[in-house]
């Protein structure tokens, strides 16, 4: 797609070129970080890349309309260092979904993922997200339209196991079977229902009970499909314990709130070396990214907010958080705040030892 010939780096499997198109056939979905609105923005993903080279990272959900009509650089722009990164789309109009998927593929995303799981009112008003669990034929059409448009970039689906009074065994299978018949090969399942009335989106991530067994059963009965388990995985030990009988795991809140989890993913899931050998080294590795974005006018806090949990539950962890939140929001704050936070955290940890 570009003017210059792409080159493959043996270290990262990443094709570098004008838009850093990723060789999607190489995508490994054994471990991914979930799409999370307001959280997994490009700065968050660049930070996560200092902790894991191999985890598949997802964008926040973007509506097809936003992708088509919005400021594309602002919404879709990312740094090649984030690859492999998947773009998550929401929508219910196949023609628009096709257009948005093509734009995402051209932009260089390694995967396009359709959101069939989000329960917010805004999303329901647009007739997409979790309420599409009730319309599996439409989901299959959305998938076909998106995949036709995305060319060789794979289009995947992220769903719940059902909504409201649906029988999960029926709702999940109908959704998966119809889309699989259309050609979809990879499904990530948030293993709980969404209750569309009466629960907030936040409550919908905790209250409906988890059913990992149903997801494993789906994999057993549809072995040709790739099935990724999501929902309630507390840490890496828990995720590895629950990985049996599925093709991979997706972590959302645990990975965001305690990003040090990601430092162990490359070794324990993929059997390769992590990009950095400690949290402090990861912070140091993020500094050049911070400097580059600061020079472009990005506020420090827009980036460091994603790092607050890095030393969670460790000596000095609160101090780290406090320095970043109190000094990081000041006008003109630069990387010296990050260095100060590191120094104060390290001193506190040394005193506690
Ligand atoms: C702040 C936040 C925003 C989220 N935004 C999205 C989203 O944009 N798209 C989506 O499919 N799921 C979204 N989710 C749901 C997560 O992707 C994930 O399915 C859910 O949190 C369960 O996984 P976990 O228990 O590992 O967090 C969001 C979750 C959180 C906490």
């Amino acid at each position: 797609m570009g003017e210059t010939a792409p080159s493959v780096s043996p270290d990262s499997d990443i094709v570098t070129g004008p838009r850093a198109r990723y060789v999607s056939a190489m995508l490994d979905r054994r471990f991914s970080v979930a799409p999370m609105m307001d959280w997994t923005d490009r700065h968050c993903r660049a930070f996560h890349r200092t902790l894991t080279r191999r985890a598949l990272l997802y964008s926040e959900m973007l509506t097809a309309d936003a992708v088509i009509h919005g400021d594309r650089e602002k919404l879709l722009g990312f740094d090649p260092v984030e690859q492999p990164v998947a773009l998550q789309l929401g929508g219910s109009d196949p023609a628009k979904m096709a257009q948005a998927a093509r734009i995402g593929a051209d932009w260089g995303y390694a995967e396009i993922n359709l959101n069939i799981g989000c329960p917010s009112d805004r999303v329901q008003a647009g007739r997409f997200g979790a309420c599409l669990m009730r319309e599996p034929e439409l989901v299959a059409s959305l998938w076909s339209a998106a995949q036709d448009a995305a060319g060789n970039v794979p289009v995947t689906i992220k769903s719940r196991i059902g909504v409201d009074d649906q029988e999960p065994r029926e709702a999940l299978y109908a959704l998966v079977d119809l889309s699989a018949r259309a050609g979809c090969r990879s499904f990530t399942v948030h293993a709980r229902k969404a209750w569309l009335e009466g629960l907030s989106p936040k409550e919908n991530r905790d209250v409906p009970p988890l059913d990992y067994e149903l997801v494993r059963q789906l994999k057993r009965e549809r072995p040709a499909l790739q099935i990724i388990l999501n929902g309630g995985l507390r840490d890496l030990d828990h995720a590895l314990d629950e990985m049996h009988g599925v093709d991979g795991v997706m972590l959302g809140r645990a990975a965001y709130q305690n990003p040090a989890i990601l430092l162990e993913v490359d070794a324990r899931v993929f059997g390769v070396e992590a990009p950095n050998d400690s949290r402090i080294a990861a912070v140091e590795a993020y500094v050049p990214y911070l400097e580059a974005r600061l020079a472009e006018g990005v506020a420090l806090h827009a980036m460091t907010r994603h790092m607050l949990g890095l030393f969670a539950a460790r000596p000095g962890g609160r101090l780290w958080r406090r320095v970043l939140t109190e000094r990081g929001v000041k006008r003109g704050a630069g990387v010296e705040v990050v260095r100060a936070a590191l120094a104060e955290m390290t001193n506190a940890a040394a005193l506690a030892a």
Side-chain angles (χ1 to χ4, degrees), residues 34-37 39 59-61 88 113 115 117-118 158 190 192 205 230-233 250-254:
M36 289 179 281
M37 268 197 260
W39 289 9
S59 73
E60 308 170 83
M61 183 193 73
Q88 192 190 53
N113 175 264
N115 180 343
C118 178
K158 177 168 179 279
H190 182 179
R192 55 162 60 91
R205 290 182 208 121
N230 168 243
L233 297 168
M250 172 186 272
L251 268 71
R253 290 163 291 183

